[in-house]
Amino acid sequence: MITIKIIEAEETYNLRHEILRPYQSLEDCKYDTDNKDESFHIGAFIDDKLISIASFCMENHPDFSFENQYRLRAMATLQEYRLLGAGRLVVKYAEDIIKDKGVNFLWCNGRTSVKDYYLRLGFKIYGEEFDYPPIGNHVVLYKELDII
């Protein structure tokens, strides 16, 4: 059974390093937005093992007109636990938190290699692909959230 909960920024660093930035230092896996007041981090666990993470910070993309926006950063799932739905559960949990804050717009810079995954989560592509050194090609993806 997968358990989803809020975690500390420091708990995300090892997965960020292992999956997203293996050719960089652990220091490169720490973001300046990690500990800002409106930032939060979500983890998915099987038993006590952290298998999937994502971080969320209040940050506006200049091309979108929404007054308040959240950015999804550093989403990663351990290879052997993919296809279990952990990432989807992490994003859904975070979306509920974001909507509770009265924010209805979420965006990210997603790697082009996983853009279809984001599309399955309901995101839409904005603009053209771009290089995000030293990681590679990315695209901006966004999602409008329904606030009830």
Side-chain angles (χ1 to χ4, degrees):
M1 175 194 245
I2 298 172
T3 303
I4 309 298
K5 63 183 180 180
I6 293 175
I7 60 175
E8 296 297 321
E10 293 75 19
E11 294 177 82
T12 68
Y13 298 158
N14 287 333
L15 259 66
R16 285 181 187 176
H17 187 247
E18 178 181 343
I19 298 166
L20 302 174
R21 296 175 178 260
Y23 304 107
Q24 295 177 277
S25 73
L26 190 62
E27 280 301 310
D28 291 323
C29 298
K30 300 175 182 179
Y31 303 148
D32 60 350
T33 56
D34 279 343
N35 294 303
K36 290 193 173 183
D37 287 343
E38 295 294 328
S39 296
F40 63 95
H41 313 273
I42 305 296
F45 294 81
I46 291 184
D47 297 320
D48 289 328
K49 183 175 181 69
L50 181 60
I51 64 162
S52 185
I53 57 160
S55 297
F56 299 84
C57 60
M58 189 167 267
E59 180 179 330
N60 287 2
H61 187 288
D63 289 349
F64 297 111
S65 61
F66 290 85
E67 184 177 338
N68 293 312
Q69 305 171 25
Y70 260 88
R71 179 181 179 185
L72 161 59
R73 299 191 76 182
M75 184 171 177
T77 302
L78 290 171
Q79 181 70 37
E80 62 269 29
Y81 293 96
R82 293 183 186 161
L83 303 178
L84 297 179
R88 177 179 297 278
L89 293 171
V90 164
V91 171
K92 173 67 173 106
Y93 193 93
E95 287 176 359
D96 289 342
I97 291 171
I98 291 167
K99 291 189 293 187
D100 284 347
K101 294 175 179 281
V103 177
N104 65 343
F105 194 81
L106 177 62
W107 68 276
C108 68
N109 290 328
R111 295 172 191 229
T112 56
S113 61
V114 293
K115 71 180 175 188
D116 288 342
Y117 176 76
Y118 286 103
L119 294 174
R120 287 192 302 273
L121 293 179
F123 284 81
K124 296 176 184 171
I125 294 173
Y126 173 79
E128 302 296 321
E129 291 182 14
F130 60 94
D131 185 34
Y132 195 87
I135 301 168
N137 289 338
H138 280 65
V139 65
V140 173
L141 297 123
Y142 71 95
K143 185 174 187 178
E144 292 184 51
L145 307 176
D146 294 325
I147 299 177
I148 297 173

